[in-house]
Amino acid sequence: MNKVALITGGSGGIGRAISIKLAEEGYDVVINYHSDYEKALEVKKVCEEYNVKVMLYKCNISKFEEVEIMFKEVVKEMGRVDVLVNNSGITRDTLILRMSEEDFDKVIDVNLKGCFNCIKNVSRIMMKQKSGVIINISSVVGLSGNIGQVNYAASKAGILGITKSVARELVSLNVRCNAIAPGFIETEMTETLSDEVKKQILNDIPMKRYGLAKDVANVVSFLAGEDSSYITGQVISVDGGMNI
């Protein structure tokens, strides 16, 4: 019987790479998405090429009731949840003097509260199983901060606090919780940045190249598997050396 992995925001960018990588590794995959069904369906078809079971589930992870229903439906359909990857995230970038309360709240609701909502619900499942792995996608911005990203940095720094606290709380139940802090990864989210900003970022990367979504997916695969069975409460930067 295959293990089951649920990836929030699993249809685009880093989430897409994670979904496909875990399917390639033999996991049955649950792809959570918010709005773009066609994109989610495309990822589902790619994952199914690895002869695994794939489930799509539309859910706004910032809404606790929707998340609660999602996990109940997933267990009903898939039987269990062995790996949760909290990948879903949004940005609303602007300087704090211009940032509206709505811009701040929206990013916190999706990135941070969404992470809480999913862990809260999956922890019950993993407790009954007496096993599980939780992997939270944070950001190098959560470690260092960034101009124009007070809301995003706060949400991603909060994820690190959640990771370490949950790791301590659930370790006795054989549940591990770790975080990944990606640096500048080429995705649709980063394509909106100007060439000038991209050039400036490149200058700050010791390896002098941008990361790829698969670089993050490879670390997710490692943290999900038995080779990392003695690792919990840790933050792994995937950033080409930005956080040295």
Side-chain angles (χ1 to χ4, degrees):
M1 183 177 179
N2 294 342
K3 289 187 175 182
V4 177
L6 187 154
I7 303 96
T8 68
S11 62
I14 292 173
R16 180 183 188 276
I18 293 170
S19 297
I20 294 171
K21 178 64 177 180
L22 293 181
E24 181 183 358
E25 295 290 329
Y27 291 83
D28 289 338
V29 175
V30 181
I31 300 170
N32 158 258
Y33 69 102
H34 180 238
S35 57
D36 196 333
Y37 172 74
E38 292 302 322
K39 184 181 289 185
L41 184 61
E42 185 271 332
V43 180
K44 179 177 184 287
K45 290 178 180 178
V46 175
C47 290
E48 287 176 336
E49 292 177 4
Y50 296 100
N51 296 315
V52 297
K53 186 175 181 180
V54 184
M55 177 182 182
L56 297 182
Y57 199 97
K58 182 179 180 180
C59 171
N60 181 349
I61 64 164
S62 70
K63 305 296 184 183
F64 186 86
E65 296 80 7
E66 290 189 28
V67 173
E68 189 174 34
I69 293 171
M70 176 176 69
F71 277 95
K72 288 179 179 177
E73 291 295 320
V74 167
V75 171
K76 183 178 179 181
E77 176 70 20
M78 308 293 274
R80 57 191 294 117
V81 180
D82 298 283
V83 178
L84 166 65
V85 183
N86 283 307
N87 167 74
S88 188
I90 63 169
T91 58
R92 295 288 187 275
D93 296 350
T94 190
L95 297 174
I96 192 166
L97 292 176
R98 299 173 184 167
M99 186 175 292
S100 67
E101 181 181 11
E102 182 182 1
D103 286 337
F104 186 85
D105 289 347
K106 183 66 175 178
V107 172
I108 295 296
D109 282 348
V110 174
N111 298 6
L112 186 58
K113 188 168 185 289
C115 180
F116 163 80
N117 289 343
C118 290
I119 293 176
K120 169 78 172 178
N121 282 281
V122 84
S123 61
R124 299 189 183 111
I125 299 168
M126 291 180 172
M127 179 178 66
K128 291 179 181 178
Q129 296 172 176
K130 295 184 179 179
S131 68
V133 176
I134 299 168
I135 303 167
N136 300 321
I137 307 300
S138 179
S139 169
V140 67
V141 173
L143 294 166
S144 64
N146 195 32
I147 294 172
Q149 289 192 307
V150 164
N151 47 6
Y152 187 74
S155 70
K156 293 301 187 177
I159 286 174
L160 301 181
I162 286 178
T163 298
K164 291 180 178 295
S165 298
V166 168
R168 289 181 180 273
E169 289 186 19
L170 301 185
V171 66
S172 64
L173 303 172
N174 195 31
V175 176
R176 296 186 292 112
C177 183
N178 291 291
I180 298 172
F184 189 88
I185 307 297
E186 291 183 337
T187 64
E188 290 180 3
M189 185 182 291
T190 56
E191 284 176 3
T192 60
L193 299 175
S194 68
D195 291 339
E196 183 179 349
V197 171
K198 289 180 180 179
K199 183 178 179 180
Q200 183 178 348
I201 292 172
L202 190 61
N203 288 333
D204 293 334
I205 302 174
M207 293 186 74
K208 300 303 178 186
R209 69 172 179 86
Y210 305 129
L212 302 176
K214 69 177 183 179
D215 294 322
V216 180
N218 288 338
V219 179
V220 169
S221 176
F222 168 69
L223 290 175
E226 289 302 313
D227 286 345
S228 62
S229 61
Y230 199 54
I231 300 175
T232 195
Q234 302 305 305
V235 182
I236 300 178
S237 294
V238 183
D239 60 7
M242 289 180 72
N243 191 45
I244 292 175

